[in-house]
Amino acid sequence: MKRKIRKITKKWKSYPTKYRKSIKHSRFYRLCFLFKFSIIVKTSEYRQVNKKGGYFLVVYKFLCTISLVFVLFGLVISNVDIFEELKIIIISPDYLITDYFEIAGIGGAFLNSGLLMFAFICILKLLKINPSGVSIAAIMTIGGFALFGKNIFNVWPIVIGVFLYTIMTNENIRTYLYVALFGTALAPITTHLVLKNCINLNWIGLLFAILIGFLLPPLASFALTLHRGYNLYNVGFTAGFLGMFLGSILKAYELHPEPRYYWHTENQLLLSIFVYSLFYLILLYGLKLNNWSFSGYKNVFKYSGKLLTDFVLLENEAITFINVGILGLLGTSYVLLIGAPINGPTIGSIMTLAGFGALGKHPKNIFPVILGTIIGALTNSQAINSAGMVLAVLFGTTLAPIAGEFGIIWGIIAGFLHSALVMNLGFLHLGMNLYNNGFSGGFVAMFLLAIIDAWKKLKEAIGEKLRRFVKMGSD
């Protein structure tokens, strides 16, 4: 172990001085580098216990099962026109908020979601990715947003653009794989630019959509340094910037999309039973893997949740599935308790909340942020069960690491600020960044980190002056 630490330190010192000197981000780079090393060590230890790669198979089976459940549920509850529903989903504009349940049908929406999840799982398998917490977060987020914005057509130009960047820069395609997966937040841009009159392809628009994907990797790497990993939806923050510039260009040339609002409110009993059953079964599966106990679950509470806190690698898959199931049940219960409907966007937000239960979120660090967002919802002009506020509460947990690192008070403040800011950013990207809460979360994290750093310095200065004053008095 000591030899490995010496080797990793030597490699760190070999990096160019500009990355290690007094620039404020240098400490962050080093922490990320050392954390990557700890992940490698942890994974190697885990492989010694699971020589046959059992845990990789468990995660793959878990993800495949969720995609299969979505496909089967869509087929069972749909009518004979399910493929017509799928066609409507593909050709319809799908920027925020476009509930596929409302514009097409529940069956078509779940079929679209299940197929899209399975397609990305196949990509992970083809690239021989060892799945972990980030894989669970990415696939479940894609599945959730495939109910209100992503479909089996509009995600691929973004993915192609990211892969093209890796080829052009001689990078390993797996380096930016998860940027490609999360980068599908900009999928509505593809529909808007590529599908003309719903049937004809706009090839110039297609090239432009690929260019947007091409720009994601360098921007995502830089965006991470701005919030230092305290905004879990980092690619959402990046996509917000890209969407902002694109939206401005489109609006300048009067090519911008018209506002949309589709919000499904029917079939509540059926959808509630399905979502509760899904996460209850995930919880039971985790308990089964953990010998039918919650032993070790409290270990996740010691992590702040800052990127990248991968619970599959830091703990194990059983604890991760337990956490995913609990967060999914909590999110579903919240939606129903405030009288909001279970629909495409709310299921998407619950899926994302639960998915990131494998990558940083847990009940302890999300509670202060949710409380702060609820306080904002109760005191501002928006109804607490309005579409914007429901999504803000659930997606606002992107700021969970702030509560995990700096405490309950700062978590509540983060949630409160997010509840106000998120309602005023969508117009910048015209709803074409599906991760609008990630965009808001990045700004809140940047703002609060500066305030927190200043507050710490102020406390230290005041404390030093008080100590000097007391010392002078004693003399």
Side-chain angles (χ1 to χ4, degrees):
M1 179 65 72
K2 290 182 179 179
R3 186 181 301 173
K4 289 183 178 180
I5 293 174
R6 284 196 298 268
K7 185 178 179 181
I8 208 80
T9 304
K10 184 178 179 181
K11 188 174 181 181
W12 164 254
K13 291 180 179 179
S14 70
Y15 274 62
T17 304
K18 65 178 182 179
Y19 291 111
R20 300 190 292 110
K21 282 286 185 179
S22 57
I23 302 175
K24 64 179 180 179
H25 304 313
S26 61
R27 179 174 177 270
F28 176 67
Y29 288 136
R30 186 167 186 176
L31 287 174
C32 283
F33 191 72
L34 294 176
F35 182 80
K36 184 177 180 181
F37 169 67
S38 69
I39 291 273
I40 293 170
V41 173
K42 187 73 176 181
T43 306
S44 64
E45 292 174 352
Y46 204 85
R47 285 175 180 169
Q48 291 177 7
V49 178
N50 298 268
K51 293 182 179 180
K52 296 182 179 180
Y55 108 86
F56 299 143
L57 293 176
V58 168
V59 176
Y60 269 127
K61 288 178 181 178
F62 170 77
L63 295 174
C64 287
T65 301
I66 292 178
S67 66
L68 180 62
V69 167
F70 272 52
V71 169
L72 291 178
F73 183 69
L75 292 173
V76 168
I77 68 170
S78 68
N79 50 38
V80 293
D81 296 326
I82 188 169
F83 293 105
E84 183 65 26
E85 294 177 359
L86 201 58
K87 178 183 176 182
I88 293 172
I89 288 172
I90 292 172
I91 65 177
S92 298
D94 36 31
Y95 37 87
L96 295 172
I97 295 174
T98 304
D99 189 342
Y100 288 162
F101 289 179
E102 188 69 13
I103 67 168
I106 296 175
F110 274 103
L111 178 62
N112 174 67
S113 177
L115 291 176
L116 199 55
M117 282 192 284
F118 185 72
F120 280 106
I121 293 168
C122 289
I123 291 176
L124 294 179
K125 192 68 176 175
L126 286 172
L127 294 176
K128 298 180 180 179
I129 299 296
N130 296 330
S132 61
V134 67
S135 311
I136 296 172
I139 297 299
M140 290 188 69
T141 298
I142 288 171
F145 277 90
L147 301 175
F148 73 113
K150 301 180 185 181
N151 59 58
I152 55 176
F153 167 75
N154 66 8
V155 298
W156 302 115
I158 306 297
V159 174
I160 291 170
V162 175
F163 286 173
L164 184 62
Y165 176 85
T166 63
I167 294 171
M168 296 289 287
T169 56
N170 295 320
E171 293 276 4
N172 190 319
I173 198 169
R174 292 181 290 184
T175 303
Y176 293 107
L177 174 62
Y178 292 110
V179 173
L181 269 61
F182 286 116
T184 53
L186 292 168
I189 291 176
T190 300
T191 307
H192 183 68
L193 295 178
V194 178
L195 291 181
K196 186 178 181 181
N197 299 325
C198 297
I199 51 174
N200 299 319
L201 287 178
N202 184 337
W203 294 103
I204 296 177
L206 179 61
L207 292 175
F208 201 75
I210 292 173
L211 175 63
I212 291 169
F214 186 87
L215 296 174
L216 271 172
L219 289 174
S221 300
F222 177 74
L224 186 62
T225 67
L226 297 178
H227 57 76
R228 292 184 269 171
Y230 289 97
N231 172 29
L232 291 176
Y233 307 159
N234 176 59
V235 179
F237 186 44
T238 309
F241 279 112
L242 268 174
M244 179 177 65
F245 283 105
L246 178 63
S248 300
I249 293 170
L250 291 176
K251 201 164 187 177
Y253 291 92
E254 296 186 352
L255 298 172
H256 58 284
E258 297 300 322
R260 284 169 72 84
Y261 180 79
Y262 291 92
W263 187 253
H264 190 74
T265 56
E266 300 176 359
N267 310 103
Q268 291 304 291
L269 180 61
L270 173 66
L271 293 171
S272 299
I273 292 173
F274 173 78
V275 178
Y276 264 128
S277 300
L278 174 67
F279 291 108
Y280 183 67
L281 290 174
I282 291 174
L283 174 60
L284 288 180
Y285 183 51
L287 289 172
K288 178 185 176 182
L289 294 177
N290 205 43
N291 296 319
W292 297 106
S293 76
F294 286 93
S295 176
Y297 176 60
K298 65 179 181 181
N299 290 341
V300 302
F301 296 159
K302 68 184 180 183
Y303 299 105
S304 69
K306 181 180 173 183
L307 287 173
L308 294 160
T309 304
D310 194 315
F311 291 139
V312 172
L313 299 179
L314 295 173
E315 295 299 326
N316 57 57
E317 72 276 14
I319 297 299
T320 301
F321 295 155
I322 290 173
N323 195 44
V324 168
I326 289 175
L327 291 183
L329 293 172
L330 289 175
T332 307
S333 299
Y334 172 78
V335 172
L336 294 176
L337 282 173
I338 63 172
I342 297 291
N343 54 26
T346 53
I347 294 176
S349 61
I350 295 166
M351 286 279 287
T352 304
L353 169 64
F356 273 84
L359 195 67
K361 295 182 184 179
H362 51 72
K364 183 180 177 181
N365 67 2
I366 68 169
F367 174 74
V369 180
I370 288 177
L371 180 58
T373 313
I374 291 174
I375 291 171
L378 291 172
T379 55
N380 65 23
S381 59
Q382 302 289 325
I384 192 170
N385 60 354
S386 64
M389 283 295 99
V390 174
L391 300 182
V393 169
L394 296 174
F395 284 125
T397 52
T398 182
L399 293 164
I402 290 180
E405 182 78 18
F406 304 111
I408 294 175
I409 301 300
W410 288 112
I412 293 173
I413 294 172
F416 179 81
L417 293 175
H418 177 75
S419 69
L421 187 62
V422 72
M423 302 303 296
N424 295 285
L425 288 180
F427 78 96
L428 292 175
H429 51 75
L430 305 177
M432 289 187 287
N433 171 27
L434 294 174
Y435 302 167
N436 184 52
N437 282 265
F439 190 32
S440 170
F443 283 115
V444 173
M446 285 169 56
F447 174 77
L448 278 184
L449 287 174
I451 300 299
I452 291 170
D453 288 344
W455 174 250
K456 287 182 177 178
K457 291 179 181 178
L458 183 62
K459 284 203 306 182
E460 289 175 2
I462 294 174
E464 182 64 27
K465 288 182 179 180
L466 286 174
R467 283 191 294 271
R468 287 180 183 178
F469 180 77
V470 170
K471 187 177 180 181
M472 288 175 61
S474 61
D475 291 342

